[in-house]
Amino acid sequence: MSGFFSPFITKPVSVSQIMLHVLLALIPGIAIYVWFYGPAILISLTLASITALVIEALMLKIQNKPLAPYLKDNSALLTAWLLALSIPPLAPWWLVVVGTAFAISISKHLYGGLGNNPFNPAMIGYAVLIISFPSHMTHWLTPHGLAEIPLSFPDQLNYIFHGMLPDGVRLDAVTMATPLDTLKTQLHLNTQLKDILEMPIYGRMAGIGSEWVATGFLLGGIYLLAKRLISWHIPAAFLGTLFITSGLFHLLDPSHHVAPLFHWFSGAAMLGAFFILTDPVTSPTTPRGKLIFAAGAGLLTYLIRSFGGFPDGMAFATLLMNICVPLIDAWTQPKVFGKKEKQP
Amino acid sequence: MRTLYKFHGGVHPPTNKTQSNLTPIAQAALPSKLLIPLHQHVGSSAKPVVEVGEYVLKGQRIGRPEGHLSSAVHASTSGTIAAIDMQRVAHPSGIPDLCITLIPDGLDEWIALDTCDDWTTLSHTDLRHRLREAGVVGLGGAVFPSDMKLYSHKHKIKTLVLNGAECEPYITCDDMLMRERAGEILQGAEMMRALLYAEEVLIGIEDNKPEAIAAMKSAVVAGNHQRMEVIAVPTVYPGGGAKQLIRVLTGIEVAAGVRSTNMGVQCFNVGTAYSAWRAIRFGEPLVSRIVTVTGNVSRPQNYDALIGTPMDELVAQSGQLPGTTGYIMGGPMMGVLMPSRQVGVIKAANCIIASSDKLFPTAKPALPCIRCTRCADVCPSELQPQELYWFSKAKNFDKAEDYHLFDCIECGACSYVCPSNIPLVQYYRFAKSEIWAREAGKKAADAARERHEYRESRIEREKREKTEKLAAKEKAAQAAKTPLQPVVAAANPDADPENTMQLKIQTAIDRAKEQAAAIKPKNVEQLTPQQQAEINDIEARRARIRELAKDNTDAQP
């Protein structure tokens, strides 16, 4: 008997399944990632997943909460994957572990666990890492075909776990700054935008390789939309605002500001639009609220990218907008049935 | 083609209707006894007018309506009154209510019925009186006395909506009634239209009932009914809610606490229209209704069942299967679990589902809310259920009211879609009942304070009067003793500064009192009878919860 009170039936959809679909939607992006940068990312993903589950179990144990239903909800795994995808794949193992552990323990469980954290745990993890270990966070792998000496899988493993590269190979030879970071540095050096974009790391729209990874995440996002696991409000408002702001600056000063598509397909924009900002726990619940929230994040991302000190703005834009969520929700309560002004 | 409107949200649970709508309505066998509650409707309970041992005929009045809002109750068959006592009734609380037990004599012999060939010859007052005496109440589940709904103040009502949507899964009693007795439903609708002075009749039927739609459409043509339209509405739960159906058919949104008649619409269930017709045309009081028996039975079926038929005897006719854990009256979305299988069928009983663990498996443990807003997406009242849940859980009831808790119709769509398996509706019922209890408490406290203040002032007054009397006596005594003295003019009280201050204080106190009196608990003041019934229902449920909780704690060492 399902209980003493109606409704006696429920739709067979669980939190666990929702999270699983989101994880599945990340797979195209991850596959393209592996294609361009080698399997190092799979190691970060695995490390982050294991850390997340262990820390989650530990935190649940401390709080005397049941382990099985929470470990099976897949939410810790999602946090782990989003964080792993946000940090350089060649980062030392402990960086992934520290970031994930912080994300799960402090920013999720100390705030009350699933459903209660005001900030996106993965983005908190990222913020902690980029503030504490900035140099480790800037060594991104050079995409396949661009590196002088391509690293084999055992080489990548060796570097992640022992910090050792093959003899005669310097870290600079196999890593680079991100296309966004390079753009910012070069603009500071007064290099012409046209010349910057002719550097070999740039492809059609943005960075070679990374633009395709972003396309992978876009595909995953479309899957989430089609499955109605996310609503259109957040991705549309975020990408729209990012497009309009960067477009305005690009129109006003094309020699110093890249085209909107560059912003769309660089950094964590696509990942953020469909996977990070859409985290239901840390985003507004009302449709209008979602639009405001994501538009704010789009604007902040652009501002941090173009005028701030960090290579990408996604994480801080997300966290800053997370702060505003309760206020946005309170402000944007929709009118209820029968209480609207207009009646036919 | 009429433009239909949409209401927000809704869900599509498996309809499970084809089990019971493939066979025609069957006449239920005469049961061994009938348990007829005297309170089957909204309003005050009917008063028994028969005695134990008395022989009654089918259709004989056994309970007379008491007060303005009430309805009569009749013997469902001929037989002997065996008892008039407290029995368990079809209410989830399990709290006993006054019932008349009738042992059928097997003859099923009708009392002489007052038929009427042409209702148009009767006055509206007479029609309403006949409906009240026939015990006709809303058969969609609300059981509101129909005569009370058939008034038209200043002829404001434009549209009569006939509700044949039947959106709840499993239930098919209205479907079958429309297929088999469409003509009589429409006759009833014509009568209702006349009583309401309504211009048009819109009959809304969900599009998963093509046979019913066809039957009703041809009956409209056959009966040459003007300005009466059968409209197929999209199948979506809770599209059969009165407010939702009114919205779909007319575009009008009737807010919580507002009567639809104020907006020009009145709504009746198709079964009510049928019963109203039978009551006027043939003089038949409401002694039976169509009941869907389905769920864990071998032959799901609709029955024309006598009011008072013990549910287990009715379900037995459909072949109850092993593993039955209990009976649900109504559908799986809003139905209620019966406290016993022996309770009698009441006028509100549209469906009895024999439940089993297979049909309704045990709910998984609830996880925290992840604010996914699937609940908000499906809420037909356009509420934010996730916020209401948060506030109800935190017992932040003021905030819950701010977020329109009382606009919730408890349709269960939110609970149905919740991926965290949170029994959301339970939280809202809890919050509502707590608010009612709190406000009732405040009312009681106010009354007590007033009583106390009155007593104080009375004592004060008595004291004063005593002293005055005493003083007067003394004065009289003195006056008798001493010769008359010139009367000194009384000092102007306003000139005395102390007096002015006193006056000011008194006015301030009075003002404060007036203000305090102006603040009234808004949810328990001026309740409609329906709301009062709801409150009573919920109160009873709370009692049951407490009982269950007690049992649980008792069970644990």
Side-chain angles (χ1 to χ4, degrees):
Chain A
M1 198 61 221
S2 69
F4 290 101
F5 303 104
S6 60
F8 298 96
I9 49 174
T10 53
K11 203 176 181 180
V13 175
S14 63
V15 173
S16 167
Q17 282 168 323
I18 293 171
M19 300 284 178
L20 186 68
H21 277 287
V22 181
L23 288 173
L24 285 177
L26 281 168
I27 289 187
I30 293 171
I32 297 171
Y33 210 125
V34 172
W35 174 264
F36 278 101
Y37 300 93
I41 186 66
L42 298 180
I43 300 166
S44 329
L45 285 169
T46 315
L47 268 175
S49 303
I50 294 168
T51 313
L53 290 177
V54 169
I55 300 291
E56 177 101 343
L58 208 70
M59 293 305 290
L60 290 168
K61 192 93 191 138
I62 292 172
Q63 299 168 83
N64 280 326
K65 285 185 182 171
L67 290 189
Y70 286 100
L71 283 180
K72 277 194 258 171
D73 71 20
N74 292 330
S75 68
L77 276 184
L78 184 57
T79 300
W81 284 28
L82 291 177
L83 180 61
L85 289 170
S86 307
I87 57 186
L90 215 53
W93 66 270
W94 53 264
L95 197 76
V96 182
V97 170
V98 167
T100 314
F102 195 94
I104 300 291
S105 63
I106 310 276
S107 58
K108 182 178 178 187
H109 279 284
L110 289 196
Y111 281 99
L114 179 69
N116 294 306
N117 46 303
F119 299 105
N120 189 306
M123 291 302 101
I124 289 275
Y126 174 87
V128 165
L129 293 182
I130 199 152
I131 291 167
S132 314
F133 313 101
S135 66
H136 287 292
M137 293 290 283
T138 47
H139 293 300
W140 290 81
L141 267 173
T142 311
H144 183 72
L146 277 184
E148 296 162 36
I149 312 144
L151 281 185
S152 67
F153 184 50
D155 292 340
Q156 291 183 340
L157 266 181
N158 206 19
Y159 184 76
I160 291 171
F161 287 100
H162 302 110
M164 289 191 297
L165 286 171
D167 289 340
V169 177
R170 285 177 306 105
L171 190 60
D172 290 356
V174 290
T175 65
M176 61 175 210
T178 62
L180 262 180
D181 211 4
T182 312
L183 174 76
K184 193 187 276 180
T185 323
Q186 292 297 327
L187 282 172
H188 270 294
L189 297 171
N190 280 327
T191 318
Q192 284 293 303
L193 185 61
K194 190 163 60 70
D195 299 333
I196 301 172
L197 292 181
E198 272 171 16
M199 290 166 70
I201 63 163
Y202 294 104
R204 284 161 211 268
M205 294 175 288
I208 272 189
S210 57
E211 61 187 13
W212 289 109
V213 176
T215 310
F217 292 138
L218 172 63
L219 285 176
I222 292 169
Y223 170 78
L224 292 182
L225 280 173
K227 277 261 170 189
R228 289 173 177 259
L229 288 161
I230 57 172
S231 73
W232 58 270
H233 302 84
I234 288 178
F238 174 79
L239 293 175
T241 313
L242 188 60
F243 194 94
I244 291 166
T245 345
S246 56
L248 273 177
F249 277 93
H250 180 66
L251 280 179
L252 290 173
D253 185 3
S255 60
H256 285 95
H257 295 282
V258 281
L261 279 184
F262 185 95
H263 280 283
W264 270 17
F265 289 91
S266 289
M270 285 298 169
L271 192 64
F274 294 101
F275 295 90
I276 295 169
L277 288 170
T278 50
D279 168 26
V281 176
T282 57
S283 64
T285 51
T286 65
R288 271 195 306 147
K290 283 176 179 160
L291 292 175
I292 296 170
F293 167 82
L299 183 67
L300 284 172
T301 301
Y302 181 77
L303 292 178
I304 298 170
R305 277 181 176 185
S306 303
F307 308 106
F310 290 101
D312 195 357
M314 196 64 233
F316 290 103
T318 307
L319 294 175
L320 285 171
M321 289 315 292
N322 285 163
I323 300 176
C324 310
V325 166
L327 197 62
I328 295 175
D329 269 344
W331 275 353
T332 56
Q333 284 301 312
K335 286 256 192 291
V336 305
F337 184 85
K339 306 225 168 126
K340 291 160 218 154
E341 279 106 56
K342 218 177 81 185
Q343 287 261 11
Chain B
M1 192 66 198
R2 174 174 285 273
T3 34
L4 293 183
Y5 296 82
K6 274 190 176 152
F7 65 91
H8 180 264
V11 291
H12 296 94
T15 55
N16 282 309
K17 286 179 187 277
T18 47
Q19 292 94 321
S20 56
N21 69 3
L22 297 177
T23 44
I25 300 169
Q27 184 63 50
L30 206 58
S32 63
K33 64 171 179 180
L34 292 160
L35 278 167
I36 309 169
L38 283 155
H39 193 206
Q40 301 185 43
H41 47 265
V42 170
S44 32
S45 186
K47 289 280 168 288
V49 290
V50 285
E51 274 162 31
V52 177
E54 197 175 325
Y55 179 78
V56 291
L57 289 169
K58 181 173 186 168
Q60 183 177 336
R61 195 175 71 164
I62 54 175
R64 82 178 140 77
E66 179 82 357
H68 190 51
L69 184 72
S70 187
S71 197
V73 176
H74 302 81
S76 310
T77 186
S78 56
T80 316
I81 306 290
I84 303 174
D85 58 359
M86 303 298 272
Q87 297 272 350
R88 277 199 178 178
V89 293
H91 191 281
S93 68
I95 295 169
D97 202 358
L98 196 59
C99 288
I100 292 180
T101 309
L102 173 62
I103 304 295
D105 62 359
L107 301 173
D108 204 28
E109 190 185 334
W110 277 99
I111 196 168
L113 297 175
D114 186 10
T115 59
C116 172
D117 290 328
D118 183 8
W119 57 266
T120 53
T121 58
L122 300 175
S123 75
H124 287 185
T125 317
D126 193 13
L127 281 173
R128 276 189 283 268
H129 181 72
R130 284 175 186 231
L131 289 175
R132 175 176 156 103
E133 285 300 312
V136 176
V137 297
L139 296 183
V143 285
F144 194 87
S146 298
D147 56 298
M148 298 295 292
K149 281 174 73 184
L150 287 166
Y151 280 100
S152 176
H153 298 289
K154 297 175 188 161
H155 301 198
K156 271 193 311 196
I157 294 168
K158 181 177 164 265
T159 310
L160 166 63
V161 167
L162 222 51
N163 189 344
E166 202 165 56
C167 63
E168 268 256 16
Y170 288 93
I171 310 176
T172 56
C173 62
D174 290 345
D175 182 8
M176 296 314 293
L177 185 77
M178 289 188 286
R179 290 192 205 187
E180 298 185 12
R181 304 174 192 179
E184 289 180 285
I185 295 171
L186 299 186
Q187 297 282 0
E190 277 300 352
M191 204 171 67
M192 288 173 158
R193 158 152 67 182
L195 283 168
L196 292 167
Y197 299 96
E199 293 165 24
E200 54 172 3
V201 181
L202 304 181
I203 304 163
I205 306 170
E206 282 196 346
D207 55 15
N208 62 353
K209 298 181 236 330
E211 298 90 346
I213 294 169
M216 291 289 274
K217 275 188 171 162
S218 51
V220 169
V221 176
N224 194 25
H225 296 286
Q226 300 302 313
R227 297 210 64 184
M228 187 182 273
E229 198 178 335
V230 176
I231 301 155
V233 297
T235 299
V236 53
Y237 178 86
K243 290 187 175 183
Q244 282 65 43
L245 187 63
I246 289 172
R247 164 73 187 162
V248 170
L249 294 177
T250 66
I252 295 169
E253 288 190 3
V254 183
V258 174
R259 286 196 182 88
S260 69
T261 46
N262 289 342
M263 306 182 85
V265 191
Q266 184 60 292
C267 181
F268 282 97
N269 173 265
V270 286
T272 317
Y274 171 78
S275 296
W277 170 250
R278 298 294 301 186
I280 299 298
R281 172 67 187 84
F282 302 103
E284 282 174 18
L286 187 58
V287 292
S288 69
R289 68 155 297 150
I290 314 297
V291 185
T292 307
V293 177
T294 183
N296 196 37
V297 293
S298 54
R299 298 176 302 278
Q301 165 83 46
N302 278 284
Y303 293 96
D304 199 334
L306 298 180
I307 302 297
T309 306
M311 287 191 180
D312 55 351
E313 290 194 31
L314 188 59
V315 175
Q317 294 177 46
S318 270
Q320 179 174 308
L321 295 172
T324 299
T325 50
Y327 296 157
I328 293 166
M329 183 176 83
M333 293 298 286
M334 288 185 83
V336 284
L337 189 66
M338 292 293 99
S340 139
R341 298 185 195 191
Q342 282 84 41
V343 295
V345 165
I346 53 173
K347 292 176 183 177
N350 47 9
C351 179
I352 300 166
I353 306 176
S355 76
S356 70
D357 290 336
K358 205 174 143 224
L359 281 178
F360 307 117
T362 313
K364 289 189 209 96
L367 281 175
C369 166
I370 57 164
R371 293 163 45 92
C372 68
T373 65
R374 278 169 173 69
C375 49
D377 293 343
V378 300
C379 178
S381 297
E382 293 167 75
L383 304 173
Q384 298 288 306
Q386 78 283 354
E387 305 279 3
L388 288 175
Y389 160 67
W390 190 260
F391 295 135
S392 302
K393 197 180 173 191
K395 300 192 181 172
N396 191 348
F397 300 126
D398 290 338
K399 211 77 176 125
E401 274 191 80
D402 288 349
Y403 278 70
H404 313 286
L405 173 68
F406 285 95
D407 288 44
C408 168
I409 58 169
E410 298 178 24
C411 68
C414 51
S415 302
Y416 176 71
V417 295
C418 181
S420 291
N421 301 308
I422 301 169
L424 291 163
V425 183
Q426 280 307 102
Y427 279 94
Y428 309 147
R429 287 176 185 145
F430 162 75
K432 284 181 184 178
S433 62
E434 285 297 310
I435 292 169
W436 280 321
R438 192 177 65 180
E439 292 187 356
K442 186 181 177 306
K443 233 168 127 179
D446 282 350
R449 206 192 54 239
E450 259 166 48
R451 246 193 337 266
H452 175 73
E453 277 170 8
Y454 177 73
R455 183 173 171 272
E456 293 277 287
S457 76
R458 180 174 51 85
I459 293 171
E460 185 68 22
R461 196 189 64 225
E462 283 171 359
K463 225 196 231 163
R464 202 175 54 234
E465 282 171 358
K466 223 177 197 173
T467 24
E468 273 169 14
K469 231 184 246 169
L470 220 67
K473 231 186 215 170
E474 241 165 64
K475 219 173 172 182
Q478 240 161 38
K481 261 189 236 159
T482 54
L484 272 171
Q485 297 238 331
V487 182
V488 182
N492 180 5
D494 285 347
D496 181 1
E498 197 147 318
N499 245 348
T500 324
M501 193 53 100
Q502 282 273 309
L503 202 71
K504 268 188 188 161
I505 293 171
Q506 195 50 50
T507 29
I509 290 172
D510 288 348
R511 204 167 47 232
K513 264 188 198 157
E514 259 169 44
Q515 277 167 355
I519 303 166
K520 279 182 183 149
K522 62 175 180 259
N523 290 307
V524 285
E525 280 298 322
Q526 284 137 18
L527 290 173
T528 64
Q530 213 154 353
Q531 279 167 324
Q532 188 58 52
E534 246 175 74
I535 293 176
N536 295 345
D537 259 22
I538 287 175
E539 276 301 328
R541 258 199 311 254
R542 292 180 76 212
R544 174 86 174 142
I545 294 168
R546 269 189 233 114
E547 205 178 289
L548 287 169
K550 217 174 82 198
D551 287 353
N552 272 340
T553 39
D554 288 351
Q556 280 161 3

